[in-house]
Amino acid sequence: MKREGDKESMSKAYLALSLGSTPLGRIYLRLDSKNCPITVRNFTSLLQREEPHGYLKTKFHRIIKNFMAQGGDYEFSNGTGGKSIYGPVFDFP
């Protein structure tokens, strides 16, 4: 996979996973703050907040084995909700 941008423009983050009170491990992420600064700022800000307006203690609502995990919908827990630090609609040109 070819990655645009350089290492200096990549922010790092992780998701700490648990099932109930049992820790399962972490998912490590590299975020391209050079090409997507608004999205990275929004995502990293929400990572540090708790419910009802952040990702802490939220659930994965969709998992496809060996492909992807989708979560972070702290409004409805089904993928249809979502807000941003920029307001109710994340709509930038």
Side-chain angles (χ1 to χ4, degrees):
M1 178 169 97
K2 184 176 180 183
R3 186 182 286 286
E4 296 295 320
D6 52 30
K7 288 184 180 182
E8 291 77 32
S9 70
M10 296 290 181
S11 299
K12 295 179 182 179
Y14 68 87
L15 305 173
L17 306 179
S18 63
L19 182 59
S21 61
T22 305
L24 299 176
R26 293 180 176 177
I27 297 174
Y28 292 91
L29 308 166
R30 292 176 77 187
L31 309 169
D32 189 345
S33 54
K34 179 179 178 184
N35 291 309
C36 306
I38 296 169
T39 302
V40 169
R41 191 175 310 114
N42 184 67
F43 183 74
T44 55
S45 176
L46 293 174
L47 278 179
Q48 299 171 27
R49 296 181 186 184
E50 290 194 31
E51 294 177 281
H53 302 292
Y55 296 142
L56 288 176
K57 300 181 183 178
T58 60
K59 301 174 183 178
F60 286 107
H61 57 269
R62 182 177 177 202
I63 298 174
I64 300 174
K65 188 177 178 179
N66 298 320
F67 178 60
M68 62 155 253
Q70 186 177 9
D73 178 354
Y74 52 82
E75 283 188 291
F76 307 118
S77 297
N78 64 9
T80 62
K83 293 182 182 175
S84 78
I85 62 170
Y86 304 109
V89 177
F90 193 103
D91 185 19
F92 290 89

